[in-house]
Amino acid sequence: MFLVQHLFIFIAFVLLLPSYSLAGESSASGDSVAVPKRESIALPSQSAYMGAGLSIGLAAGVFSPIDECDCMGTWQGQLEYFYSDLVSGSFEVRFFGGDLDRDKMVMYQRYRINVRFHNAYDDFAFFAAPFLGLENTSISEFRKQVVDREEADSKKTRARFWWQQADAEDLEETGDSSKTETNCGKLFAMDGFSIGLGLGGGYNVSRLFAVTGLVQIEYNFSKDVMLSLVPGVAFNLLEVWPWAKGVLRSTWISFEVGGQRYVHGGVEGWSNTFFLGLQLGA
């Protein structure tokens, strides 16, 4: 976590460096250029089109994998800087953590650097975003008490420890669960570097509400391909928060439902994520 914090600070410095350079040139010439505010448009992944400035997005939610696997907690953060009304750069981080199945737990980390090319109108904006990603998966066995969930439902719980010898019934159950563990593990098979392209946009339906959408395809160098579809809705908190309206460029609360599917790899069905997030633009 120490390394992640410093990496986040470094990326923020790289994103903001051009703005400091431009500010210095403006001060040296004695010219003051005021950046006019414009109406923001909500975008996917806790972002918003502002045309200028810095956007910060934070979200937390639940990852619901295929039927054989358990739900896990997840959270994500995004730092985006608009170099102009057409181009922005961003850094994203996403963590998944929790019980993968009855015997395993997982901590899955994703880091991305995006370049977004924007096109915006009064109430609608869309973008194309090529990105470079890095994934890191840590899967470990529980060394604590393992409870059979099916027997727990029937109020017949049984504890088994890793140092105990399994009986014939346990061996049979372990054989049955190996396929489940393999299928669950494939959901986190994307490890190492990846490249991809995202197409997304947002539309302000009214002064207070907007809809967003994202389609994303990514290829991992472990030869895995994943397709993501992320629709969402957002509420314009800036319009009902007087303090924020006088200080910030944008403030959105968003709810997104994401669907992910491996194009190949033997995993059938869609996995889903549910995110509730907050975006702040300055």
Side-chain angles (χ1 to χ4, degrees):
M1 186 60 67
F2 177 81
L3 179 60
V4 172
Q5 293 175 349
H6 283 72
L7 178 62
F8 194 84
I9 294 174
F10 173 75
I11 296 296
F13 175 77
V14 172
L15 290 173
L16 292 175
L17 183 59
S19 65
Y20 294 147
S21 300
L22 292 175
E25 294 176 0
S26 177
S27 298
S29 62
D31 298 330
S32 59
V33 180
V35 180
K37 285 189 177 182
R38 59 163 295 158
E39 294 295 328
S40 65
I41 303 173
L43 293 177
S45 301
Q46 293 73 55
S47 180
Y49 180 80
M50 303 180 298
L54 180 69
S55 173
I56 299 174
L58 296 172
V62 176
F63 175 66
S64 176
I66 55 179
D67 293 339
E68 300 95 310
C69 315
D70 295 337
C71 292
M72 295 186 295
T74 180
W75 70 270
Q76 66 181 16
Q78 177 175 250
L79 182 66
E80 181 176 14
Y81 180 74
F82 283 83
Y83 296 102
S84 70
D85 57 352
L86 297 178
V87 180
S88 69
S90 68
F91 172 70
E92 298 180 14
V93 58
R94 177 181 289 189
F95 287 173
F96 298 86
D99 301 354
L100 183 60
D101 51 43
R102 61 178 297 215
D103 296 321
K104 303 285 185 180
M105 68 179 296
V106 63
M107 173 59 75
Y108 187 59
Q109 308 164 38
R110 312 197 70 183
Y111 307 93
R112 284 184 188 154
I113 297 177
N114 305 271
V115 177
R116 288 183 171 182
F117 300 96
H118 299 268
N119 194 1
Y121 302 92
D122 291 338
D123 296 316
F124 174 71
F126 64 92
F127 64 84
F131 64 85
L132 173 65
L134 173 64
E135 287 77 30
N136 180 32
T137 307
S138 174
I139 301 177
S140 60
E141 292 187 10
F142 279 120
R143 296 308 186 186
K144 298 180 180 180
Q145 180 177 344
V146 178
V147 179
D148 191 324
R149 291 178 301 168
E150 293 181 358
E151 290 188 1
D153 293 338
S154 61
K155 298 182 179 179
K156 296 179 180 179
T157 59
R158 182 184 70 253
R160 186 176 72 247
F161 298 88
W162 66 272
W163 62 81
Q164 292 178 331
Q165 295 293 329
D167 54 26
E169 181 183 357
D170 291 336
L171 291 175
E172 182 180 355
E173 290 180 1
T174 302
D176 294 339
S177 65
S178 62
K179 181 176 184 297
T180 298
E181 293 176 7
T182 300
N183 288 338
C184 293
K186 286 181 180 179
L187 295 173
F188 302 95
M190 299 182 72
D191 206 8
F193 287 98
S194 64
I195 56 175
L197 176 67
L199 301 175
Y203 174 65
N204 287 356
V205 179
S206 67
R207 184 176 63 90
L208 295 178
F209 293 97
V211 292
T212 63
L214 174 68
V215 179
Q216 186 169 268
I217 185 75
E218 52 191 307
Y219 171 78
N220 185 267
F221 290 103
S222 61
K223 298 182 179 180
D224 285 302
V225 179
M226 188 171 70
L227 173 67
S228 300
L229 304 176
V230 187
V233 295
F235 174 75
N236 193 353
L237 185 61
L238 191 74
E239 292 294 329
V240 296
W241 189 6
W243 177 86
K245 198 166 187 176
V247 176
L248 301 175
R249 292 178 182 268
S250 67
T251 307
W252 292 90
I253 296 176
S254 63
F255 178 73
E256 296 179 337
V257 179
Q260 298 87 36
R261 184 180 181 119
Y262 279 87
V263 177
H264 63 80
V267 180
E268 297 182 357
W270 289 80
S271 300
N272 300 297
T273 53
F274 304 88
F275 277 110
L276 180 63
L278 174 67
Q279 183 272 343
L280 301 173

